[in-house]
Amino acid sequence: MKKSNLAVTTAITGLIALGGTMLAAAPAVAAEKEKCYGVAKAGQNDCATKTSSCAGTAKEDNQSDAFVVVPKGLCGKLSGGSTQSS
């Protein structure tokens, strides 16, 4: 894994860990977030996919229908990131 990919993965993992509590506690902050498809590691997606109904069930890294919630504008900067499920 490249150093830059590791840094991005680490940042996303941290955001995921904090994201759930931030979204529930502050709706105004939630408006500044977006779903980012195609960047979640296996078992690290935030919500259901087309093939499963639970968070944390992505079967492979960068699964195109699995997303993580990230700050608005970050998704387009991530390799493989998309705000649309494919």
Side-chain angles (χ1 to χ4, degrees), residues 5 10-11 17 19 24-25 37 41 44 46 51 53 62 64 69 79-80 84:
N5 286 344
T10 302
Y37 294 89
K41 294 295 179 192
Q44 298 296 313
D46 280 344
T51 57
S53 62
N62 307 322
S64 64
V69 177
S79 177
Q84 305 267 331

Side-chain angles (χ1 to χ4, degrees), residues 32-83:
E32 298 171 9
K33 305 283 184 184
E34 65 186 354
K35 293 178 182 179
C36 188
Y37 294 89
V39 296
K41 294 295 179 192
Q44 298 296 313
N45 58 305
D46 280 344
C47 201
T49 69
K50 290 179 183 176
T51 57
S52 67
S53 62
C54 299
T57 57
K59 302 237 187 285
E60 59 188 48
D61 289 351
N62 307 322
Q63 190 172 314
S64 64
D65 65 338
F67 71 86
V68 291
V69 177
V70 298
K72 195 164 228 151
L74 177 63
C75 189
K77 296 177 183 179
L78 300 176
S79 177
S82 173
T83 56

Side-chain angles (χ1 to χ4, degrees), residues 7-23:
V8 170
T9 301
T10 302
I12 290 173
T13 303
L15 289 171
I16 292 169
L18 295 174
T21 58
M22 288 173 51
L23 290 176

